[in-house]
Amino acid sequence: MPSLDFDTEKKLFREFHDSNTKLLENAKNSFITLITALLSASGSNSISKIEGRVKEKEECIKKFNLKYRTDLEAENTPYSIQEKITDLIGLRIICLYEDDIETINSCLSNHFDIIDVTNKISQLESTEALFGYKGLHLDLKLNEQRIALPEYEIYKSYRFEVQIRTIIQDSWSVLDHKIKYKKSIPNGLKRRINTLAALFELADREFREIREATIEEIRKESIIEEIVKDGQPEVTSGASNELNQSRLLNAFSFQKIAQHFFKDFEFEAHKVDGFTQEIIEADNHITRRRLNVLLRDNIAKTKRYQIYFEGKNKDDKLNPYTLIRHCLYIGDKEKFNNILTSVAKDAFDNWLATNVEI
């Protein structure tokens, strides 16, 4: 039963924590596994990490003493330390973008009972006088449907806190806790801290907007336009030079063109970026149209070479990047002389020499 005897309540809480440590750890791990699966099933692919911890017992007692004890005893309200420590089990979900926070919140709301919500984002954005880290904190417990499953029934009495933050917000949180003096300090120092907090907020916003701009650039690229206009000459002078610049190859247009020729292959963004740069370094005036022509005119021959090569080398495969290298080489040996290794180039040249009719 709750009481007003702090020493008794401390003793009871320590006994509870000691006797349930293993179960608390298992609950924490189970919640992490469940949330990871739920977010994955929801299609969320912007999760950086999900981590958790069981709050150390003396830290819990210290938190209760600082945050709750004085008011409860002043009001003569009996208490139990365990009931007041809502983050005994704590999880943290780190995502990439600000708008992922609401997506994650929506997913968790559909699968858990929400006890309480602390929206530090709206708290900070509603005033210019505060600074600190942002994030969304949810106090949750398993819902009835989940408790009905045997593997979760044992954890039905445990509530847990989930903190949802972006990578930027999490980084600021770490730094924010290192800044010991933030309130009763000279205005000049307070202004510098506010400026630093604003820079982190700006970084979060820019990160999201760069993602949106990248998606828009990819959307604008049209391989169909390049194929349809293939017979038209490039504009080379006058006011259309700016248009020529817009037609130069970049990572977005490379991915569109490459995907057209290799529909079932997943071109990963970071590999596309480096590979496109390699092409541009070999020919810094190469256009989207030019790459399309080089692939279109040489892909059939290159794929026939692939059949020959893989037939002789059972353990080696020519992936789409390698096939594109061969297309570029055969299309313009002067500019793309170094796009293949010497061994690959010699093997390809020997095959070409004996297959001149192809």
Side-chain angles (χ1 to χ4, degrees), residues 82-345:
Q82 180 186 342
E83 291 178 358
K84 289 296 181 180
I85 304 302
T86 60
D87 63 341
L88 180 56
I89 298 174
L91 273 57
R92 184 173 300 153
I93 303 174
I94 309 299
C95 56
L96 299 184
Y97 307 103
E98 283 182 304
D99 50 5
D100 292 325
I101 292 177
E102 185 50 44
T103 302
I104 296 168
N105 178 31
S106 177
C107 178
L108 297 183
S109 299
N110 289 333
H111 293 278
F112 297 92
D113 287 340
I114 298 180
I115 301 169
D116 193 24
V117 177
T118 303
N119 192 335
K120 293 181 178 290
I121 298 174
S122 62
Q123 287 177 2
L124 289 174
E125 290 182 346
S126 64
T127 177
E128 296 179 355
L130 295 175
F131 53 86
Y133 67 87
K134 291 183 176 182
L136 183 67
H137 294 189
L138 306 175
D139 286 340
L140 305 173
K141 66 177 183 178
L142 296 170
N143 60 22
E144 292 298 326
Q145 293 87 345
R146 195 69 58 180
I147 291 173
L149 300 174
E151 62 267 36
Y152 296 108
E153 197 274 340
I154 194 172
Y155 307 130
K156 65 181 180 181
S157 63
Y158 291 147
R159 58 192 290 180
F160 59 100
E161 181 188 75
V162 176
Q163 299 178 356
I164 311 171
R165 303 173 184 167
T166 67
I167 291 175
I168 303 296
Q169 290 167 359
D170 192 53
S171 299
W172 173 244
S173 171
V174 175
L175 292 173
D176 182 64
H177 281 86
K178 297 297 182 182
I179 301 173
K180 304 299 183 183
Y181 303 96
K182 294 178 284 188
K183 297 178 181 178
S184 302
I185 59 176
N187 286 336
L189 182 54
K190 186 180 294 186
R191 179 179 176 82
R192 290 174 65 185
I193 297 172
N194 278 328
T195 300
L196 183 59
L199 287 173
F200 273 80
E201 185 173 333
L202 178 62
D204 232 339
R205 186 183 309 150
E206 285 297 305
F207 195 28
R208 184 185 72 247
E209 291 183 358
I210 287 171
R211 178 200 62 184
E212 296 301 320
T214 299
I215 293 172
E216 176 61 17
E217 287 296 326
I218 293 173
R219 187 193 66 79
K220 288 192 301 185
E221 292 296 340
S222 174
I223 181 62
I224 296 175
E225 177 184 357
E226 295 300 320
I227 294 172
V228 170
K229 294 185 177 181
D230 183 55
Q232 298 182 11
E234 295 279 352
V235 181
T236 56
S237 62
S240 295
N241 281 340
E242 184 177 344
L243 179 59
N244 279 336
Q245 282 296 114
S246 71
R247 289 179 173 176
L248 290 175
L249 184 70
N250 58 43
F252 307 133
S253 50
F254 170 86
Q255 187 156 359
K256 278 282 187 179
I257 294 167
Q259 204 71 69
H260 173 76
F261 289 96
F262 301 95
K263 291 182 172 59
D264 298 326
F265 184 78
E266 182 179 353
F267 287 90
E268 299 175 78
H270 68 282
K271 293 182 180 179
V272 165
D273 193 37
F275 189 73
T276 306
Q277 186 59 32
E278 186 179 347
I279 295 173
I280 293 171
E281 287 173 357
D283 181 0
N284 59 9
H285 296 297
I286 189 169
T287 61
R288 297 176 295 174
R289 172 181 175 273
R290 177 62 174 155
L291 177 65
N292 183 65
V293 169
L294 289 170
L295 293 184
R296 185 202 63 190
D297 290 352
N298 299 298
I299 192 67
K301 185 179 293 186
T302 299
K303 286 188 175 181
R304 283 193 287 271
Y305 174 69
Q306 178 186 21
I307 295 171
Y308 163 80
F309 177 86
E310 292 179 358
K312 290 191 62 178
N313 304 273
K314 300 298 184 182
D315 296 327
D316 293 326
K317 302 293 181 183
L318 300 184
N319 65 36
Y321 288 108
T322 305
L323 294 176
I324 291 171
R325 290 180 188 277
H326 283 78
C327 287
L328 294 174
Y329 173 72
I330 194 175
D332 193 331
K333 291 186 177 181
E334 181 178 350
K335 287 184 176 177
F336 296 105
N337 185 56
N338 296 320
I339 202 79
L340 291 172
T341 65
S342 297
V343 172
K345 193 161 45 179

Side-chain angles (χ1 to χ4, degrees), residues 46-92:
S46 296
I47 306 301
S48 173
K49 62 180 177 180
I50 302 177
E51 57 190 5
R53 60 98 185 97
V54 174
K55 204 178 194 76
E56 201 275 328
K57 62 185 174 185
E58 297 306 318
E59 187 181 353
C60 292
I61 294 170
K62 180 180 179 181
K63 177 180 179 178
F64 174 84
N65 191 40
L66 292 173
K67 191 173 182 179
Y68 301 109
R69 181 185 174 191
T70 300
D71 289 342
L72 289 169
E73 292 183 353
E75 297 168 359
N76 203 35
T77 303
Y79 54 77
S80 162
I81 294 175
Q82 180 186 342
E83 291 178 358
K84 289 296 181 180
I85 304 302
T86 60
D87 63 341
L88 180 56
I89 298 174
L91 273 57
R92 184 173 300 153

